[in-house]
Amino acid sequence: MDFIQLAVPFFILAMVLELIYGIVRRRNTYRLNDAFSSLMLGILSQARKFIVLGVGGWIFAWAATATAIPQWPVDTPLTWVSAFVLYDLCYYWQHRLGHERQILWAAHVAHHQSEDYNLSTALRQTSTGFLLGWVFYLPLFVLGVPAEVVVTVGALNLIYQFWVHTQHIPELGWLEWVFVTPSNHRVHHAQNDCYLDRNYGGVFIIWDRIFGSYQRELADTPCIYGIRGPIKSWDPVVALTHIYRDMFNDMVRTRSGWDRLRVLWARTGWQPPDVRLRWPREKSDLSQFSRFDPEISLARQWLGGIQLLGATVFLVWGQLTPLPDSAYWVWWLVLLWTGVATAGWLQGKSYRTMLLLDGPRLVVIAVVAALVPLNPAAFTFAWLWLGMSFLILAWEHRAAVRDEPVSA
Ligand SMILES: [Zn+2]
Ligand SMILES: [Zn+2]
């Protein structure tokens, strides 16, 4: 059973409640553009599971049949409790190396680019973690924890982490000693020098206390969220690939064959010395920090909101509707296109560019909605959504024509 799918309605409800609470208390922590970017990465991460099976799942299934490791009994609470705790220990090391080694950081960075901190940040997940992340859970299989138990406690671990992504809950007394909490996880997402690379636990913070990576949230040092090499983009492709791109550039540019290989397992931020001289990647200066927040028209904001709603419904529809493999690829590509194009609107790309980038997408969706047999609810939603999208596009068109320089 996929607990993460089941949890989605509760995630949405909790985000709405957090938003309302923030507005009522005059401490709103949401921005549409940043929340769009985070949720789009969450949507793509969930959709990925339908087009590429996890490498780990395949290897574990093979390992379970090819080896004679005795399996733990599934029907005793001891199995579940032990597996839950041991899973979190594996998670700690996956997460810690996910920050410390750049090949792993390239995947995990997607969770950290948000310069806001709210429940939508929790859903900001990578789409490439499945490539290497499974390595850290091999000890569980060697010990004989059944695959179904690993998958279930893994999902519960991820669901637990949702609630800690909020600024509205203060320190929680003795719980700070044992569990990952909003306060100690805020530290994990902060880029201040004293908070950098701290608090890696998923459910239990005890691992950080044992292995020396714990840091308390300090009253005189407010968290500055985000990463030290900000991407200044809402584009999911940029978010998912920029560290791989940096590594690739370093590998191509260096003249040292050894350093070319070293890029692959070096510490995060390391560059070959000859490349560093000519193309240094400097960390941003936090004393000058301001969040990426391009100004855009009201029409574009509405378009962003409507596209996010559409992508969410389209994700759930695809998850619930059995489709042929090739159709899942089309479904995933439409979601990706929606993410990239909507990011363009939210980043203030020119109206002409956006018409070329996004116009064909809406036409393709209209053609698909007309050709694919849909149930009445999906049909009604699809056409209402398309109608809204085209209407807002017309609104933006009027503004673009009005603002266009006469000489152009
Ligand atoms: Zn992290
Ligand atoms: Zn987090």
CSV table of all heavy atoms in Angstrom, one decimal, residues 14-15 17-19 21-22 25-31 34 114-122 161-172 181-187 189-190 192 217 221-226 289 291:
chain,number,residue,atom,x,y,z
A,14,ALA,N,-3.6,20.3,5.5
A,14,ALA,CA,-2.7,20.9,6.4
A,14,ALA,C,-2.0,22.2,5.9
A,14,ALA,O,-1.9,23.2,6.6
A,14,ALA,CB,-1.6,19.9,6.8
A,15,MET,N,-1.7,22.2,4.6
A,15,MET,CA,-1.1,23.4,4.0
A,15,MET,C,-2.1,24.5,4.0
A,15,MET,O,-1.8,25.7,4.3
A,15,MET,CB,-0.6,23.1,2.5
A,15,MET,CG,0.7,22.3,2.5
A,15,MET,SD,1.3,22.1,0.9
A,15,MET,CE,0.2,20.9,0.2
A,17,LEU,N,-4.6,24.9,6.0
A,17,LEU,CA,-4.8,25.4,7.4
A,17,LEU,C,-3.6,26.3,7.8
A,17,LEU,O,-3.7,27.3,8.5
A,17,LEU,CB,-4.9,24.2,8.4
A,17,LEU,CG,-6.3,23.4,8.3
A,17,LEU,CD1,-6.3,22.2,9.2
A,17,LEU,CD2,-7.4,24.4,8.6
A,18,GLU,N,-2.4,25.8,7.4
A,18,GLU,CA,-1.2,26.6,7.8
A,18,GLU,C,-1.2,28.0,7.1
A,18,GLU,O,-0.9,29.0,7.8
A,18,GLU,CB,0.1,25.9,7.4
A,18,GLU,CG,1.4,26.6,7.9
A,18,GLU,CD,2.7,26.0,7.3
A,18,GLU,OE1,2.6,25.6,6.1
A,18,GLU,OE2,3.7,26.1,8.0
A,19,LEU,N,-1.7,28.0,5.9
A,19,LEU,CA,-1.8,29.3,5.2
A,19,LEU,C,-2.8,30.2,5.9
A,19,LEU,O,-2.5,31.4,6.1
A,19,LEU,CB,-2.2,29.0,3.7
A,19,LEU,CG,-2.5,30.2,2.9
A,19,LEU,CD1,-1.3,31.0,2.6
A,19,LEU,CD2,-3.1,29.8,1.5
A,21,TYR,N,-3.9,30.1,9.0
A,21,TYR,CA,-3.3,30.4,10.3
A,21,TYR,C,-2.3,31.6,10.2
A,21,TYR,O,-2.4,32.5,11.0
A,21,TYR,CB,-2.7,29.2,11.0
A,21,TYR,CG,-2.1,29.4,12.3
A,21,TYR,CD1,-2.8,29.4,13.5
A,21,TYR,CD2,-0.7,29.7,12.4
A,21,TYR,CE1,-2.3,29.6,14.7
A,21,TYR,CE2,-0.1,30.0,13.7
A,21,TYR,CZ,-0.9,29.9,14.8
A,21,TYR,OH,-0.4,30.2,16.0
A,22,GLY,N,-1.4,31.5,9.2
A,22,GLY,CA,-0.4,32.5,9.0
A,22,GLY,C,-1.0,33.8,8.7
A,22,GLY,O,-0.6,34.9,9.2
A,25,ARG,N,-2.7,35.2,11.8
A,25,ARG,CA,-1.8,35.7,12.8
A,25,ARG,C,-0.8,36.8,12.2
A,25,ARG,O,0.2,37.1,12.9
A,25,ARG,CB,-0.9,34.5,13.3
A,25,ARG,CG,-1.7,33.4,14.0
A,25,ARG,CD,-2.4,33.9,15.3
A,25,ARG,NE,-1.4,34.4,16.3
A,25,ARG,CZ,-1.0,33.8,17.3
A,25,ARG,NH1,-1.4,32.5,17.5
A,25,ARG,NH2,-0.1,34.3,18.1
A,26,ARG,N,-1.1,37.2,11.0
A,26,ARG,CA,-0.2,38.2,10.3
A,26,ARG,C,1.3,37.7,10.2
A,26,ARG,O,2.2,38.5,10.4
A,26,ARG,CB,-0.3,39.6,11.0
A,26,ARG,CG,-1.6,40.2,11.0
A,26,ARG,CD,-1.7,41.5,11.6
A,26,ARG,NE,-3.0,42.0,11.7
A,26,ARG,CZ,-3.7,42.5,10.7
A,26,ARG,NH1,-3.1,42.7,9.5
A,26,ARG,NH2,-4.9,43.0,10.8
A,27,ARG,N,1.4,36.4,10.0
A,27,ARG,CA,2.8,35.9,9.9
A,27,ARG,C,2.7,34.8,8.8
A,27,ARG,O,3.0,33.6,9.0
A,27,ARG,CB,3.2,35.2,11.2
A,27,ARG,CG,4.6,35.7,11.6
A,27,ARG,CD,5.1,34.9,12.8
A,27,ARG,NE,6.3,34.1,12.4
A,27,ARG,CZ,6.5,33.0,13.0
A,27,ARG,NH1,5.7,32.4,13.9
A,27,ARG,NH2,7.6,32.3,12.6
A,28,ASN,N,2.2,35.2,7.6
A,28,ASN,CA,2.1,34.3,6.5
A,28,ASN,C,3.5,33.9,6.0
A,28,ASN,O,4.3,34.7,5.7
A,28,ASN,CB,1.3,35.0,5.3
A,28,ASN,CG,1.2,34.0,4.1
A,28,ASN,OD1,1.3,32.8,4.3
A,28,ASN,ND2,1.1,34.6,3.0
A,29,THR,N,3.7,32.6,5.8
A,29,THR,CA,5.0,32.1,5.4
A,29,THR,C,5.0,31.6,4.0
A,29,THR,O,6.0,31.0,3.5
A,29,THR,CB,5.5,31.0,6.3
A,29,THR,OG1,4.5,29.9,6.4
A,29,THR,CG2,5.8,31.5,7.7
A,30,TYR,N,3.9,31.8,3.2
A,30,TYR,CA,3.7,31.3,1.9
A,30,TYR,C,3.9,32.4,0.8
A,30,TYR,O,3.4,33.5,1.0
A,30,TYR,CB,2.4,30.7,1.7
A,30,TYR,CG,2.2,29.3,2.2
A,30,TYR,CD1,1.9,29.1,3.6
A,30,TYR,CD2,2.4,28.1,1.4
A,30,TYR,CE1,1.8,27.8,4.1
A,30,TYR,CE2,2.3,26.9,1.9
A,30,TYR,CZ,2.0,26.7,3.3
A,30,TYR,OH,1.9,25.4,3.8
A,31,ARG,N,4.6,32.1,-0.3
A,31,ARG,CA,4.5,32.9,-1.5
A,31,ARG,C,4.1,31.9,-2.6
A,31,ARG,O,4.6,30.8,-2.7
A,31,ARG,CB,5.9,33.5,-1.8
A,31,ARG,CG,6.3,34.6,-0.9
A,31,ARG,CD,7.7,35.1,-1.3
A,31,ARG,NE,8.7,34.0,-1.2
A,31,ARG,CZ,9.8,34.0,-1.8
A,31,ARG,NH1,10.2,35.0,-2.6
A,31,ARG,NH2,10.7,33.0,-1.7
A,34,ASP,N,7.1,30.5,-4.8
A,34,ASP,CA,8.0,29.5,-4.1
A,34,ASP,C,7.2,28.2,-3.8
A,34,ASP,O,7.7,27.1,-4.0
A,34,ASP,CB,8.5,30.1,-2.8
A,34,ASP,CG,9.5,29.2,-2.1
A,34,ASP,OD1,9.1,28.3,-1.4
A,34,ASP,OD2,10.7,29.4,-2.4
A,114,SER,N,14.3,26.1,-1.6
A,114,SER,CA,13.3,27.0,-1.2
A,114,SER,C,13.8,28.0,-0.2
A,114,SER,O,14.5,27.6,0.8
A,114,SER,CB,12.1,26.3,-0.5
A,114,SER,OG,11.2,27.2,0.0
A,115,GLU,N,13.5,29.3,-0.4
A,115,GLU,CA,14.0,30.4,0.5
A,115,GLU,C,12.8,30.7,1.5
A,115,GLU,O,13.0,31.6,2.3
A,115,GLU,CB,14.4,31.6,-0.3
A,115,GLU,CG,15.8,31.2,-1.0
A,115,GLU,CD,16.2,32.3,-2.0
A,115,GLU,OE1,15.4,33.1,-2.4
A,115,GLU,OE2,17.4,32.1,-2.4
A,116,ASP,N,11.7,29.9,1.4
A,116,ASP,CA,10.7,30.0,2.4
A,116,ASP,C,10.8,28.7,3.2
A,116,ASP,O,11.5,27.8,2.9
A,116,ASP,CB,9.3,30.1,1.8
A,116,ASP,CG,9.1,31.4,1.0
A,116,ASP,OD1,9.8,32.4,1.4
A,116,ASP,OD2,8.2,31.5,0.2
A,117,TYR,N,10.0,28.6,4.3
A,117,TYR,CA,9.9,27.4,5.1
A,117,TYR,C,8.5,27.2,5.5
A,117,TYR,O,8.0,27.9,6.4
A,117,TYR,CB,10.9,27.5,6.2
A,117,TYR,CG,11.1,26.1,7.0
A,117,TYR,CD1,11.9,25.1,6.4
A,117,TYR,CD2,10.5,25.9,8.2
A,117,TYR,CE1,12.1,23.9,7.1
A,117,TYR,CE2,10.7,24.7,8.9
A,117,TYR,CZ,11.5,23.7,8.3
A,117,TYR,OH,11.7,22.5,8.9
A,118,ASN,N,7.8,26.2,4.9
A,118,ASN,CA,6.5,25.9,5.3
A,118,ASN,C,6.2,24.5,4.8
A,118,ASN,O,7.1,23.8,4.3
A,118,ASN,CB,5.5,26.9,4.6
A,118,ASN,CG,5.7,27.0,3.1
A,118,ASN,OD1,5.8,26.0,2.5
A,118,ASN,ND2,5.9,28.2,2.6
A,119,LEU,N,4.9,24.0,5.0
A,119,LEU,CA,4.6,22.6,4.8
A,119,LEU,C,4.9,22.2,3.3
A,119,LEU,O,5.1,21.1,3.0
A,119,LEU,CB,3.2,22.3,5.2
A,119,LEU,CG,3.0,22.3,6.7
A,119,LEU,CD1,1.5,22.2,7.0
A,119,LEU,CD2,3.8,21.3,7.4
A,120,SER,N,4.8,23.2,2.4
A,120,SER,CA,5.0,22.9,1.0
A,120,SER,C,6.5,22.6,0.8
A,120,SER,O,6.8,21.8,-0.1
A,120,SER,CB,4.6,24.1,0.1
A,120,SER,OG,5.5,25.1,0.1
A,121,THR,N,7.4,23.1,1.6
A,121,THR,CA,8.8,22.8,1.5
A,121,THR,C,9.0,21.3,1.7
A,121,THR,O,9.9,20.6,1.1
A,121,THR,CB,9.6,23.5,2.5
A,121,THR,OG1,9.2,24.9,2.5
A,121,THR,CG2,11.1,23.5,2.2
A,122,ALA,N,8.2,20.7,2.6
A,122,ALA,CA,8.3,19.2,2.9
A,122,ALA,C,8.1,18.4,1.6
A,122,ALA,O,8.7,17.3,1.5
A,122,ALA,CB,7.3,18.8,4.0
A,161,GLN,N,8.1,13.3,8.5
A,161,GLN,CA,8.9,14.5,8.2
A,161,GLN,C,8.1,15.7,7.7
A,161,GLN,O,8.5,16.8,7.7
A,161,GLN,CB,10.0,14.2,7.2
A,161,GLN,CG,11.1,13.3,7.8
A,161,GLN,CD,12.2,13.0,6.8
A,161,GLN,OE1,12.7,14.0,6.2
A,161,GLN,NE2,12.7,11.8,6.7
A,162,PHE,N,6.9,15.4,7.3
A,162,PHE,CA,6.0,16.5,6.7
A,162,PHE,C,5.8,17.6,7.8
A,162,PHE,O,6.1,18.8,7.5
A,162,PHE,CB,4.7,15.9,6.3
A,162,PHE,CG,3.7,16.9,5.8
A,162,PHE,CD1,3.9,17.6,4.6
A,162,PHE,CD2,2.6,17.2,6.5
A,162,PHE,CE1,3.0,18.5,4.1
A,162,PHE,CE2,1.7,18.2,6.1
A,162,PHE,CZ,1.9,18.8,4.9
A,163,TRP,N,5.3,17.3,9.0
A,163,TRP,CA,4.8,18.3,9.9
A,163,TRP,C,5.9,19.2,10.5
A,163,TRP,O,5.6,20.2,11.0
A,163,TRP,CB,4.1,17.6,11.1
A,163,TRP,CG,5.0,17.0,12.1
A,163,TRP,CD1,5.6,15.8,12.0
A,163,TRP,CD2,5.3,17.6,13.4
A,163,TRP,NE1,6.4,15.6,13.2
A,163,TRP,CE2,6.2,16.7,14.0
A,163,TRP,CE3,4.9,18.7,14.1
A,163,TRP,CZ2,6.7,16.9,15.3
A,163,TRP,CZ3,5.5,19.0,15.3
A,163,TRP,CH2,6.4,18.1,15.9
A,164,VAL,N,7.2,18.7,10.4
A,164,VAL,CA,8.2,19.6,11.0
A,164,VAL,C,8.6,20.8,10.1
A,164,VAL,O,9.4,21.6,10.5
A,164,VAL,CB,9.5,18.7,11.3
A,164,VAL,CG1,9.2,17.6,12.2
A,164,VAL,CG2,10.2,18.2,10.0
A,165,HIS,N,8.1,20.8,8.9
A,165,HIS,CA,8.4,21.9,8.0
A,165,HIS,C,7.4,23.1,8.2
A,165,HIS,O,6.6,23.4,7.4
A,165,HIS,CB,8.4,21.5,6.5
A,165,HIS,CG,9.5,20.5,6.2
A,165,HIS,ND1,9.4,19.2,6.4
A,165,HIS,CD2,10.7,20.7,5.6
A,165,HIS,CE1,10.5,18.6,6.0
A,165,HIS,NE2,11.3,19.5,5.5
A,166,THR,N,7.5,23.7,9.4
A,166,THR,CA,6.7,24.9,9.7
A,166,THR,C,7.4,25.9,10.6
A,166,THR,O,8.2,25.4,11.4
A,166,THR,CB,5.3,24.5,10.3
A,166,THR,OG1,4.6,25.7,10.5
A,166,THR,CG2,5.5,23.7,11.6
A,167,GLN,N,7.1,27.1,10.4
A,167,GLN,CA,7.7,28.2,11.3
A,167,GLN,C,6.8,28.5,12.5
A,167,GLN,O,7.2,29.3,13.3
A,167,GLN,CB,8.0,29.4,10.5
A,167,GLN,CG,9.0,29.2,9.4
A,167,GLN,CD,9.4,30.5,8.7
A,167,GLN,OE1,9.7,31.5,9.3
A,167,GLN,NE2,9.3,30.5,7.4
A,168,HIS,N,5.6,27.9,12.5
A,168,HIS,CA,4.6,28.3,13.5
A,168,HIS,C,4.7,27.5,14.8
A,168,HIS,O,4.0,27.8,15.8
A,168,HIS,CB,3.2,28.2,13.0
A,168,HIS,CG,2.9,29.1,11.8
A,168,HIS,ND1,3.1,30.4,11.9
A,168,HIS,CD2,2.6,28.8,10.5
A,168,HIS,CE1,2.8,31.0,10.7
A,168,HIS,NE2,2.5,30.0,9.9
A,169,ILE,N,5.6,26.5,14.9
A,169,ILE,CA,5.7,25.7,16.1
A,169,ILE,C,7.1,26.0,16.7
A,169,ILE,O,8.1,25.8,16.1
A,169,ILE,CB,5.5,24.2,15.8
A,169,ILE,CG1,4.1,24.0,15.3
A,169,ILE,CG2,5.7,23.4,17.1
A,169,ILE,CD1,3.8,22.5,14.8
A,170,PRO,N,7.1,26.4,18.0
A,170,PRO,CA,8.4,26.8,18.7
A,170,PRO,C,9.1,25.5,19.2
A,170,PRO,O,8.7,24.4,18.9
A,170,PRO,CB,7.9,27.6,19.9
A,170,PRO,CG,6.6,27.2,20.2
A,170,PRO,CD,5.9,26.7,18.9
A,171,GLU,N,10.2,25.7,19.9
A,171,GLU,CA,10.9,24.5,20.5
A,171,GLU,C,9.9,23.7,21.4
A,171,GLU,O,9.0,24.3,22.0
A,171,GLU,CB,12.0,25.0,21.4
A,171,GLU,CG,13.3,25.2,20.6
A,171,GLU,CD,14.5,25.3,21.6
A,171,GLU,OE1,14.4,25.4,22.8
A,171,GLU,OE2,15.7,25.2,21.0
A,172,LEU,N,10.1,22.4,21.5
A,172,LEU,CA,9.2,21.6,22.1
A,172,LEU,C,9.7,20.8,23.3
A,172,LEU,O,9.5,19.6,23.5
A,172,LEU,CB,8.6,20.6,21.1
A,172,LEU,CG,7.7,21.2,20.0
A,172,LEU,CD1,7.3,20.1,19.0
A,172,LEU,CD2,6.5,21.9,20.6
A,181,THR,N,12.1,17.8,15.2
A,181,THR,CA,11.0,18.7,15.5
A,181,THR,C,11.1,19.9,14.5
A,181,THR,O,12.1,20.1,13.8
A,181,THR,CB,11.1,19.3,16.9
A,181,THR,OG1,12.4,20.1,16.9
A,181,THR,CG2,11.2,18.2,17.9
A,182,PRO,N,10.0,20.7,14.5
A,182,PRO,CA,10.1,21.9,13.6
A,182,PRO,C,11.3,22.8,13.9
A,182,PRO,O,12.0,23.2,13.0
A,182,PRO,CB,8.8,22.7,13.9
A,182,PRO,CG,7.8,21.6,14.3
A,182,PRO,CD,8.7,20.6,15.0
A,183,SER,N,11.6,23.0,15.2
A,183,SER,CA,12.8,23.8,15.5
A,183,SER,C,14.1,23.3,15.0
A,183,SER,O,14.9,24.0,14.4
A,183,SER,CB,12.8,24.0,17.1
A,183,SER,OG,14.0,24.7,17.4
A,184,ASN,N,14.4,22.0,15.3
A,184,ASN,CA,15.7,21.5,14.9
A,184,ASN,C,15.8,21.2,13.4
A,184,ASN,O,16.9,21.2,12.8
A,184,ASN,CB,16.2,20.3,15.8
A,184,ASN,CG,15.3,19.1,15.8
A,184,ASN,OD1,14.9,18.7,14.7
A,184,ASN,ND2,15.0,18.5,16.9
A,185,HIS,N,14.6,21.0,12.8
A,185,HIS,CA,14.7,20.9,11.3
A,185,HIS,C,14.7,22.2,10.6
A,185,HIS,O,15.3,22.3,9.5
A,185,HIS,CB,13.5,20.1,10.8
A,185,HIS,CG,13.7,19.5,9.4
A,185,HIS,ND1,14.7,18.6,9.1
A,185,HIS,CD2,13.2,19.7,8.2
A,185,HIS,CE1,14.7,18.3,7.8
A,185,HIS,NE2,13.8,19.0,7.2
A,186,ARG,N,14.3,23.3,11.2
A,186,ARG,CA,14.5,24.7,10.6
A,186,ARG,C,16.0,24.9,10.5
A,186,ARG,O,16.4,25.4,9.5
A,186,ARG,CB,13.8,25.7,11.5
A,186,ARG,CG,12.3,25.8,11.4
A,186,ARG,CD,11.8,27.1,12.0
A,186,ARG,NE,11.8,27.1,13.5
A,186,ARG,CZ,10.8,26.7,14.3
A,186,ARG,NH1,9.7,26.2,13.7
A,186,ARG,NH2,10.9,26.8,15.6
A,187,VAL,N,16.7,24.5,11.6
A,187,VAL,CA,18.2,24.6,11.5
A,187,VAL,C,18.7,23.9,10.3
A,187,VAL,O,19.6,24.4,9.6
A,187,VAL,CB,18.8,24.1,12.8
A,187,VAL,CG1,20.3,23.9,12.7
A,187,VAL,CG2,18.4,25.0,14.0
A,189,HIS,N,17.4,23.4,7.5
A,189,HIS,CA,17.2,24.1,6.2
A,189,HIS,C,17.8,25.5,6.1
A,189,HIS,O,17.7,26.2,5.1
A,189,HIS,CB,15.7,24.2,6.0
A,189,HIS,CG,15.0,23.0,5.4
A,189,HIS,ND1,14.7,22.9,4.1
A,189,HIS,CD2,14.7,21.8,6.0
A,189,HIS,CE1,14.2,21.7,3.8
A,189,HIS,NE2,14.1,21.0,5.0
A,190,ALA,N,18.5,25.9,7.2
A,190,ALA,CA,19.0,27.3,7.2
A,190,ALA,C,20.4,27.3,6.6
A,190,ALA,O,21.2,26.3,6.7
A,190,ALA,CB,19.1,27.8,8.7
A,192,ASN,N,22.7,29.8,7.4
A,192,ASN,CA,23.6,30.6,8.2
A,192,ASN,C,24.8,29.7,8.5
A,192,ASN,O,24.7,28.5,8.7
A,192,ASN,CB,22.9,30.9,9.5
A,192,ASN,CG,21.5,31.5,9.4
A,192,ASN,OD1,20.7,30.8,8.8
A,192,ASN,ND2,21.2,32.6,10.0
A,217,GLU,N,18.4,25.5,17.6
A,217,GLU,CA,18.0,26.8,17.0
A,217,GLU,C,18.3,27.9,18.0
A,217,GLU,O,17.9,27.8,19.1
A,217,GLU,CB,16.5,26.8,16.6
A,217,GLU,CG,16.0,28.0,15.8
A,217,GLU,CD,14.6,27.9,15.5
A,217,GLU,OE1,13.8,27.2,16.2
A,217,GLU,OE2,14.2,28.4,14.5
A,221,THR,N,19.8,34.2,16.3
A,221,THR,CA,20.2,33.9,14.9
A,221,THR,C,19.0,33.4,14.1
A,221,THR,O,18.9,32.2,14.0
A,221,THR,CB,21.4,32.9,14.9
A,221,THR,OG1,22.4,33.3,15.8
A,221,THR,CG2,22.0,32.9,13.5
A,222,PRO,N,18.2,34.3,13.6
A,222,PRO,CA,17.1,33.8,12.8
A,222,PRO,C,17.5,33.0,11.6
A,222,PRO,O,18.5,33.4,11.0
A,222,PRO,CB,16.4,35.1,12.4
A,222,PRO,CG,17.0,36.2,13.1
A,222,PRO,CD,18.3,35.7,13.6
A,223,CYS,N,16.8,31.9,11.3
A,223,CYS,CA,17.2,31.1,10.1
A,223,CYS,C,17.0,31.8,8.8
A,223,CYS,O,16.0,32.5,8.6
A,223,CYS,CB,16.3,29.9,10.1
A,223,CYS,SG,16.6,28.7,11.4
A,224,ILE,N,18.0,31.8,8.0
A,224,ILE,CA,17.9,32.2,6.6
A,224,ILE,C,17.9,31.0,5.7
A,224,ILE,O,18.8,30.2,5.6
A,224,ILE,CB,19.1,33.1,6.1
A,224,ILE,CG1,19.2,34.3,7.1
A,224,ILE,CG2,19.0,33.5,4.7
A,224,ILE,CD1,20.4,35.2,6.8
A,225,TYR,N,16.7,30.7,5.1
A,225,TYR,CA,16.5,29.5,4.4
A,225,TYR,C,17.0,29.5,3.0
A,225,TYR,O,17.1,30.5,2.4
A,225,TYR,CB,15.0,29.1,4.4
A,225,TYR,CG,14.4,29.0,5.8
A,225,TYR,CD1,13.6,30.1,6.3
A,225,TYR,CD2,14.7,28.0,6.6
A,225,TYR,CE1,13.1,30.0,7.6
A,225,TYR,CE2,14.3,27.9,7.9
A,225,TYR,CZ,13.5,28.9,8.4
A,225,TYR,OH,13.0,28.8,9.7
A,226,GLY,N,17.4,28.3,2.5
A,226,GLY,CA,17.8,28.2,1.1
A,226,GLY,C,19.3,27.7,1.0
A,226,GLY,O,19.8,27.2,2.0
A,289,PHE,N,21.7,39.1,1.7
A,289,PHE,CA,20.6,38.2,1.3
A,289,PHE,C,19.3,38.8,1.0
A,289,PHE,O,18.8,39.6,1.8
A,289,PHE,CB,20.5,37.1,2.4
A,289,PHE,CG,19.4,36.1,2.0
A,289,PHE,CD1,19.7,35.1,1.1
A,289,PHE,CD2,18.1,36.2,2.5
A,289,PHE,CE1,18.7,34.1,0.8
A,289,PHE,CE2,17.1,35.3,2.2
A,289,PHE,CZ,17.4,34.2,1.3
A,291,ARG,N,15.5,37.4,-0.9
A,291,ARG,CA,14.8,36.2,-1.5
A,291,ARG,C,14.6,36.5,-3.0
A,291,ARG,O,14.3,37.6,-3.4
A,291,ARG,CB,13.5,35.8,-0.8
A,291,ARG,CG,13.7,35.3,0.5
A,291,ARG,CD,12.4,34.9,1.2
A,291,ARG,NE,11.5,36.0,1.3
A,291,ARG,CZ,10.3,35.9,1.8
A,291,ARG,NH1,9.9,34.8,2.3
A,291,ARG,NH2,9.5,37.0,1.9
